[in-house]
Amino acid sequence: MVYADLHTHSTASDGHLAPRDLVHEAKTIGLGVLALTDHDTVAGIAEAQSAASEAELGFVPGVECTVHYNGHGIHLLGYGFDPSDEALTRHFDRYATARIERAQAIVEKLQSACGIAITWEDVQHQVPKGDGVVARPHIAAALQEIGAIESVGDAFDTYLGDDKPAYVPLPEVEAAWMIDQIHEAGGITAIAHPGHWLPGRILRGLIEAGLDALECVHPSHDASLEAYYRNRARANDLLVTGGSDFHGPLHATARGVGHTGLSRRAWERIAAACT
């Protein structure tokens, strides 16, 4: 039985539920612990933490950071850090601005290179309250709403994917630097969904940089891949994390909060490392 879901997203980034509603959903299904891990922002943590306290649900401040190692993009999860840490707050504020600039550049490419009549206002309409982190899924949703594509998946396959005509990269943040920042803020770090792409040499370099854990349990990992990464974690003295990567009921690969995650015993190992 899943006790802790340590990978979820809210409207503070590209999720479909407000932080408070996400906590309510987790409580309703009987989860013991929830981590909010929005992309490159801690903006939803205060609301989620308050709601979790009211609901008597265990809560872990988290984040999913976009980082690079030797030029290769990786998603780094942070857990148990101080969300008010000044250095982290400055970084996320700067990165939010960079995401807006990137999204505007993508819109310009969609207009000029792809001949699509999309506007920046179309994208802003997809960002809840207009104050969340702007991400490619928001642009994909805008493309779907104006009828340029049939689904969000089509948007990535045709225009927004890493090798597609409207792609614009985000600024590169060094993984080792981000690991240090999260450690200095009192947290631990894990590689998100390593089965997506994690060569051995990259893992070794990240371990040398201070990596604490691997997200072995993820909806995209089948049983054999989960076992493989559990073995890698064990061999390298890394903790095991896991979660649903929940974005909401409207997400292309939607699965519920708590669909995937950790047992209580596995969570207790993470909790001990976060204290």
Side-chain angles (χ1 to χ4, degrees):
M1 178 179 177
V2 173
Y3 178 79
D5 186 343
L6 302 186
H7 193 161
T8 67
H9 300 275
S10 77
T11 52
S13 65
D14 59 346
H16 299 141
L17 296 182
R20 179 171 292 276
D21 294 335
L22 180 63
V23 168
H24 176 74
E25 185 77 12
K27 182 67 176 181
T28 298
I29 67 165
L31 272 184
V33 177
L34 178 77
L36 178 61
T37 55
D38 279 315
H39 292 283
D40 301 302
T41 184
V42 293
I45 286 179
E47 179 182 327
Q49 200 152 29
S50 174
S53 178
E54 293 170 7
E56 298 183 340
L57 174 72
F59 181 76
V60 187
V63 68
E64 185 172 5
C65 302
T66 308
V67 299
H68 285 74
Y69 183 88
N70 286 353
H72 297 287
I74 299 164
H75 284 188
L76 181 76
L77 292 161
Y79 295 113
F81 54 87
D82 176 4
S84 65
D85 179 80
E86 187 175 340
L88 283 180
T89 300
R90 281 198 308 268
H91 167 71
F92 293 136
D93 285 347
R94 289 194 300 266
Y95 213 76
T97 299
R99 276 187 172 275
I100 291 172
E101 293 170 349
R102 178 220 199 181
Q104 290 172 332
I106 290 174
V107 168
E108 290 174 5
K109 277 195 167 187
L110 287 167
Q111 294 168 341
S112 61
C114 306
I116 297 175
I118 185 173
T119 67
W120 177 238
E121 288 71 25
D122 292 330
V123 175
Q124 287 179 305
H125 179 67
Q126 300 298 324
V127 183
K129 301 179 184 178
D131 57 2
V133 168
V134 184
R136 282 183 290 174
H138 297 125
I139 302 173
L143 286 168
Q144 185 177 23
E145 185 165 292
I146 67 172
I149 43 87
E150 292 188 3
S151 70
V152 168
D154 289 341
F156 279 86
D157 292 342
T158 307
Y159 301 113
L160 305 179
D162 291 1
D163 59 347
K164 302 306 177 184
Y167 176 72
V168 176
L170 281 164
E172 292 191 5
V173 177
E174 287 301 321
W177 180 85
M178 198 72 242
I179 289 171
D180 286 344
Q181 295 303 305
I182 291 172
H183 284 167
E184 289 176 16
I188 66 170
T189 58
I191 295 302
H193 38 67
H196 289 196
W197 181 87
L198 189 66
R201 60 185 176 80
I202 301 292
L203 176 58
R204 289 191 294 272
L206 293 170
I207 291 170
E208 290 175 4
L211 183 71
D212 302 290
L214 285 177
E215 188 183 46
C216 303
V217 185
H218 186 271
S220 66
H221 293 179
D222 61 18
S224 62
L225 199 55
E226 179 181 328
Y228 171 77
Y229 280 109
R230 283 184 179 276
N231 287 336
R232 297 294 296 274
R234 189 179 304 112
N236 290 283
D237 197 26
L238 298 174
L239 294 164
V240 170
T241 66
S244 64
D245 204 355
F246 177 77
H247 284 73
L250 303 179
H251 194 262
T253 57
R255 292 182 178 180
V257 178
H259 175 277
T260 307
L262 299 180
S263 67
R264 184 165 191 160
R265 184 175 181 183
W267 154 246
E268 287 171 352
R269 297 190 188 102
I270 299 293
C274 289
T275 57

